[in-house]
Amino acid sequence: MNGHISDEYAGYLRTEKYDKEPYRRKEFIINCEKPFNAETRPDLLPRSFYVPNDLFFVRNHAPVPVLKSEEEFRLRVEGIVAFPLLLSLQDLKTKFRKHTVTAVLQCAGNRRTEMSRIKPIQGVPWLHGAAGNAVWSGVLLKDVLMAAGVYPNKAEHVEFEGADLPPEEDNRRGYLASIPLKKALDEGEEVLLAYEMNGEVLPRDHGYPLRAIVPGFVGARSVKWLSRIICKMDSSDGFFMTKDYKYLPSSMDFENVDWTSTPPIMNLSVQCAICDPMPNTKLSQGPYKIRGYALTGKGEHIMRVELSVNGSKEWQEAKLIKGEKIANREIPKRITAGIKDWSWVLWELVVDIKPPMIITARAIDSACNTQPEVPLWNLRGVMNNSWHKINILPLSSAL
């Protein structure tokens, strides 16, 4: 494996074939079969504060690796550390305290399809279902790095390596991404090595048996099928850090792109989407409960969601739904000022439907960040957080 992590240490059967893929539910909107990329049907998202594991959006870059057995799994922790570690899953569960965090994940390409209507874009054609909220349990990355004796005055970044084999990564390495060591060592940032999702063992599509969860960052940094952690001076030189998941200037296209001009995307931006009704739904006149989600990054929380039914001339404030329940038990929701919040909110508002019409939604977070009115086109079609608009048609429409 050219000096990189091997099947012997990781305990995976790493493959370039798609003959051992997990079962997926038919309710997904499938945007790519190989590798599998599918989003939750948006109208299903507001039904639960937590997206069920088997309906949570899937963003894969390669075939799903197969773990030989949990007993054979090993996580390597190395680089600029005093005590390199080789940890089994049992080591993680018994030698480190368990930590649980509620966090939303969102693909950086969520809502790319809307941006592609401005100008063509290469990438998975996501609608607005590439986001999901879940309860994640595992161990704090900070605790593992401290056990390895990380040198914070020498290392500045933490690189994650997955066991999957994206064709974009050379030297047969797995998917690579890194985060600043400062975030990893801040207990308040709650960066997790997760082995549970919504109180259950991680599904294969979501990183079984171990993945990184980096709250407040785009999903591309929460590496799945985690096999190796490397403390280093520089950020990762992997493809998905250097030539993808970057917010490039709108003046750049594939003819003049300069990947070095922009740093990798990290933080989520404030986002809001209408989930029910779906775009181009035919409705009769009368009251209808509009529902959706809103999220943001940096541990802020959504302060307000507003809807307009008359071309943004007037705005109405939606009701935010912050209650949490999973497995028939309530989980305290942290919205107190000064405490970081990593989850989304669901929202709803009853409006008077008079089709044909356009419904517009926007959100404002606790730092007063809001959304641009129109999509800001960029080469990779990432980070579209413009006002979300859906068209409602009359029942007599012949679309």
Side-chain angles (χ1 to χ4, degrees), residues 177-217:
S178 64
I179 64 171
L181 179 63
K182 182 179 180 180
K183 183 174 178 74
L185 292 181
D186 186 339
E187 187 160 340
E189 295 292 318
E190 299 184 275
V191 181
L192 207 64
L193 306 182
Y195 46 74
E196 291 180 4
M197 179 181 182
N198 288 331
E200 300 175 356
V201 174
L202 275 176
R204 286 187 60 212
D205 261 332
H206 298 291
Y208 171 80
L210 191 71
R211 70 171 299 166
I213 293 293
V214 188
F217 275 21

Side-chain angles (χ1 to χ4, degrees), residues 93-152:
K93 292 180 177 181
T94 60
K95 296 181 180 180
F96 299 91
R97 58 185 170 131
K98 188 175 183 179
H99 188 84
T100 296
V101 61
T102 299
V104 61
L105 292 186
Q106 179 185 242
C107 177
N110 194 31
R111 300 181 58 196
R112 176 180 281 133
T113 298
E114 298 166 51
M115 193 180 292
S116 68
R117 295 172 188 147
I118 299 172
K119 186 177 176 181
I121 292 169
Q122 291 185 10
V124 178
W126 298 108
L127 300 174
H128 49 288
N133 202 51
V135 174
W136 310 92
S137 295
V139 302
L140 287 170
L141 175 59
K142 168 186 175 290
D143 291 346
V144 173
L145 295 181
M146 294 301 289
V150 64
Y151 293 102

Side-chain angles (χ1 to χ4, degrees), residues 86-294:
L86 190 62
L87 299 170
S88 67
L89 202 60
Q90 189 66 10
D91 290 333
L92 290 167
K93 292 180 177 181
T94 60
K95 296 181 180 180
F96 299 91
R97 58 185 170 131
K98 188 175 183 179
H99 188 84
T100 296
V101 61
T102 299
V104 61
L105 292 186
Q106 179 185 242
C107 177
N110 194 31
R111 300 181 58 196
R112 176 180 281 133
T113 298
E114 298 166 51
M115 193 180 292
S116 68
R117 295 172 188 147
I118 299 172
K119 186 177 176 181
I121 292 169
Q122 291 185 10
V124 178
W126 298 108
L127 300 174
H128 49 288
N133 202 51
V135 174
W136 310 92
S137 295
V139 302
L140 287 170
L141 175 59
K142 168 186 175 290
D143 291 346
V144 173
L145 295 181
M146 294 301 289
V150 64
Y151 293 102
N153 58 333
K154 295 182 180 179
E156 293 186 5
H157 299 269
V158 180
E159 181 180 63
F160 303 122
E161 181 173 347
D164 51 337
L165 294 171
E168 295 90 348
E169 301 287 11
D170 41 353
N171 295 326
R172 311 309 306 144
R173 295 191 71 179
Y175 181 98
L176 297 171
S178 64
I179 64 171
L181 179 63
K182 182 179 180 180
K183 183 174 178 74
L185 292 181
D186 186 339
E187 187 160 340
E189 295 292 318
E190 299 184 275
V191 181
L192 207 64
L193 306 182
Y195 46 74
E196 291 180 4
M197 179 181 182
N198 288 331
E200 300 175 356
V201 174
L202 275 176
R204 286 187 60 212
D205 261 332
H206 298 291
Y208 171 80
L210 191 71
R211 70 171 299 166
I213 293 293
V214 188
F217 275 21
V218 293
R221 311 310 170 208
S222 290
V223 175
K224 300 189 285 189
W225 311 292
L226 193 59
S227 298
R228 191 164 72 136
I229 297 172
I230 310 100
C231 296
K232 52 196 300 186
M233 274 300 301
D234 301 317
S235 63
S236 175
D237 61 357
F239 178 90
F240 299 100
M241 290 286 291
T242 59
K243 293 186 177 181
D244 201 352
Y245 296 119
K246 289 192 172 189
Y247 196 98
L248 296 164
S250 59
S251 59
M252 287 187 183
D253 55 31
F254 281 106
E255 299 298 322
N256 65 352
V257 61
D258 179 5
W259 292 105
T260 65
S261 66
T262 307
I265 297 168
M266 293 294 179
N267 289 290
L268 290 168
S269 51
V270 62
Q271 177 69 280
C272 179
I274 301 168
C275 296
D276 180 15
M278 295 276 282
N280 298 317
T281 296
K282 297 178 183 179
L283 295 175
S284 59
Q285 290 190 22
Y288 192 98
K289 183 182 288 185
I290 311 298
R291 301 188 298 168
Y293 67 79

Side-chain angles (χ1 to χ4, degrees), residues 1-7 9 14 16 76 78 161 165 169-174 176 228:
M1 301 297 292
N2 295 321
H4 299 305
I5 189 164
S6 68
D7 296 341
Y9 284 113
R14 307 173 80 181
E16 296 176 336
R76 290 175 64 178
E78 54 191 40
E161 181 173 347
L165 294 171
E169 301 287 11
D170 41 353
N171 295 326
R172 311 309 306 144
R173 295 191 71 179
L176 297 171
R228 191 164 72 136

Side-chain angles (χ1 to χ4, degrees), residues 47-81:
R47 297 184 181 182
S48 174
F49 192 79
Y50 301 99
V51 179
N53 292 359
D54 58 356
L55 283 177
F56 204 96
F57 82 94
V58 178
R59 175 57 170 122
N60 292 341
H61 294 84
V64 176
V66 179
L67 187 69
K68 298 174 186 176
S69 70
E70 284 195 2
E71 290 71 25
E72 293 183 69
F73 171 79
R74 295 294 183 272
L75 172 69
R76 290 175 64 178
V77 184
E78 54 191 40
I80 307 175
V81 297

